[in-house]
C-alpha cells in the first residue's frame, strides 16, 4: 500500500524482544500480580520519612515507557521535595478545597465522598517527602516557537499516571492521587508554561505508622467486564 505521507521519515525497525511464557507460568504471574495490586491502597496518612530520589526517578522512567499518541510522550513530571514549595502548594490547594467543601461542590458530590472522610485539610501536601505534579503537554513548542499538535493527550497521560502509581506501589511506596480543583495555580507556582495543563498531584512516600484507610471493596469480574466470545 502506498504510504499516505511519503515525506515523513519512516521509523527504523528492530526485532521485538519478547520471550514466551508457558501458559501455567503466565497464569501464575497474572494471579501473583493481581495480589500485588490488591495490596495497593490510596493513603492519606503520610509519614515525613525521606525517600531516595533515585527510586522516584526509576518509577518515573517506568511511567515514561507508557504507550501514547504518536510517541510524543506528552507528560511532564515536576517532582517537588522543597519544603518551602510544598508549603506554598498546600496553602494554595487548601484555598481551593475550602471553597469546594464550603459550597462549590454540589451536595450529591459531597455525599459520594462522605465515606472517604476527606475534608479541606491537606497536611500530607507538606508532610510527604515527594509531590509528583503531573502535567499534560497539550501541544509541543519548538525552539523557534512553532507549535506541534500532540495526540490523545489525556489518554496518554492517564496511562502513564497509572503506570507510575503501579511502579511506586511495586517499589514499596504509597501514593495519593490528589486533584485540587481548579489546579491552574500549579502553573504559576511551578513556573510551567501555558501548553502544560496540570493533570494531578501524586503524593508519594511512606505511610504514617498506624495509618488507616477506608473499608472499601472493588467490583468483581462480572461488575467490570463482559466477554463476547
Ligand atoms: N479534591 C477534593 C475532593 C475529592 C474528590 C474526589 I472525586 C475524591 O475521590 C476525593 C476527594 C479533596 O481532595 O478533598
Amino acid at each position: 500500500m502506498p504510504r499516505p505521507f511519503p515525506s515523513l521519515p519512516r521509523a527504523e525497525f528492530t526485532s521485538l524482544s519478547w520471550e514466551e511464557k508457558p501458559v501455567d507460568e503466565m497464569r501464575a504471574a497474572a494471579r501473583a500480580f493481581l495480589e500485588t495490586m490488591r495490596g495497593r491502597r490510596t493513603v492519606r496518612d503520610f509519614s515525613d520519612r525521606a525517600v531516595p530520589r533515585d527510586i522516584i526517578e526509576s518509577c518515573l522512567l517506568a511511567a515514561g515507557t507508557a504507550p501514547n499518541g504518536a510517541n510524543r510522550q506528552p507528560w511532564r513530571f515536576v517532582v517537588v521535595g522543597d519544603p518551602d514549595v510544598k508549603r506554598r502548594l498546600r496553602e494554595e490547594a487548601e484555598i481551593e478545597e475550602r471553597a469546594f467543601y464550603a459550597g462549590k461542590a454540589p451536595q450529591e458530590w459531597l455525599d459520594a465522598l462522605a465515606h472517604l472522610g476527606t475534608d479541606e485539610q491537606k497536611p500530607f501536601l507538606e508532610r510527604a517527602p515527594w509531590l509528583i505534579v503531573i502535567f499534560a503537554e497539550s501541544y509541543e513548542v519548538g525552539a523557534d516557537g512553532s507549535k506541534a499538535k500532540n495526540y490523545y493527550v489525556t489518554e496518554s497521560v492517564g496511562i502513564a499516571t497509572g503506570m507510575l502509581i503501579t511502579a511506586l506501589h511495586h517499589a514499596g511506596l504509597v501514593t495519593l492521587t490528589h486533584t485540587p480543583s481548579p489546579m491552574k495555580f500549579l502553573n504559576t507556582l511551578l513556573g510551567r508554561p501555558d501548553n502544560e495543563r496540570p493533570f494531578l498531584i501524586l503524593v508519594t512516600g511512606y505511610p504514617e505508622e498506624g495509618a488507616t484507610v477506608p473499608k472499601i471493596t472493588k467490583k468483581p469480574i462480572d461488575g467490570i467486564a463482559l466477554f463476547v466470545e
Side-chain angles (χ1 to χ4, degrees):
M1 207 173 67
R3 296 172 58 212
F5 302 107
S7 59
L8 292 178
R10 186 192 273 282
E12 269 184 53
F13 281 73
T14 181
S15 57
L16 172 68
S17 163
W18 177 80
E19 217 179 299
E20 178 161 341
K21 275 194 181 94
V23 168
D24 281 348
E25 220 179 276
M26 211 188 275
R27 183 170 292 114
R31 289 196 176 149
F33 192 65
L34 169 60
E35 287 317 307
T36 297
M37 293 314 290
R38 280 185 168 149
R40 189 204 62 79
R41 290 302 310 263
T42 290
V43 167
R44 290 186 171 79
D45 301 335
F46 278 84
S47 154
D48 60 0
R49 276 172 72 196
V51 169
R53 170 175 157 165
D54 67 290
I55 296 173
I56 304 298
E57 284 179 352
S58 294
C59 294
L60 290 168
L61 288 168
T65 67
N68 66 93
N71 196 33
R72 299 292 276 264
Q73 306 168 56
W75 37 73
R76 291 290 173 274
F77 303 103
V78 181
V79 190
V80 180
D82 180 321
D84 201 49
V85 180
K86 287 197 287 186
R87 184 182 47 73
R88 280 184 283 152
L89 197 154
R90 175 186 180 181
E91 280 168 11
E92 302 243 24
E94 286 184 344
I95 291 171
E96 305 297 356
E97 297 294 353
R98 276 195 292 275
F100 177 87
Y101 286 97
K104 223 179 95 187
Q107 193 56 44
E108 187 183 357
W109 193 349
L110 294 177
D111 291 345
L113 290 177
H115 72 293
L116 299 177
T118 56
D119 60 24
E120 64 279 5
Q121 312 266 22
K122 305 298 175 195
F124 47 75
L125 292 175
E126 269 189 275
R127 195 162 163 76
W130 297 112
L131 307 178
I132 306 177
V133 186
I134 305 173
F135 288 86
E137 192 189 62
S138 321
Y139 54 90
E140 213 177 278
V141 182
D144 59 351
S146 61
K147 292 180 183 176
K149 209 174 141 39
N150 283 338
Y151 302 93
Y152 297 101
V153 171
T154 305
E155 292 84 348
S156 301
V157 179
I159 294 167
T161 299
M163 290 175 61
L164 179 57
I165 293 167
T166 305
L168 292 164
H169 170 64
H170 178 253
L173 294 166
V174 298
T175 57
L176 164 65
T177 35
H178 182 52
T179 50
S181 163
M183 289 194 280
K184 203 64 197 166
F185 72 87
L186 291 166
N187 284 73
T188 317
L189 182 67
L190 301 172
R192 301 315 300 161
D194 274 351
N195 63 324
E196 292 181 16
R197 170 172 63 84
F199 186 71
L200 59 77
I201 303 172
L202 202 59
V203 185
T204 304
Y206 287 98
E208 189 68 282
E209 224 176 289
T212 60
V213 290
K215 274 191 192 170
I216 54 167
T217 56
K218 297 292 180 183
K219 293 177 179 174
I221 189 67
D222 34 335
I224 63 169
L226 70 89
F227 285 77
V228 181
E229 53 183 352

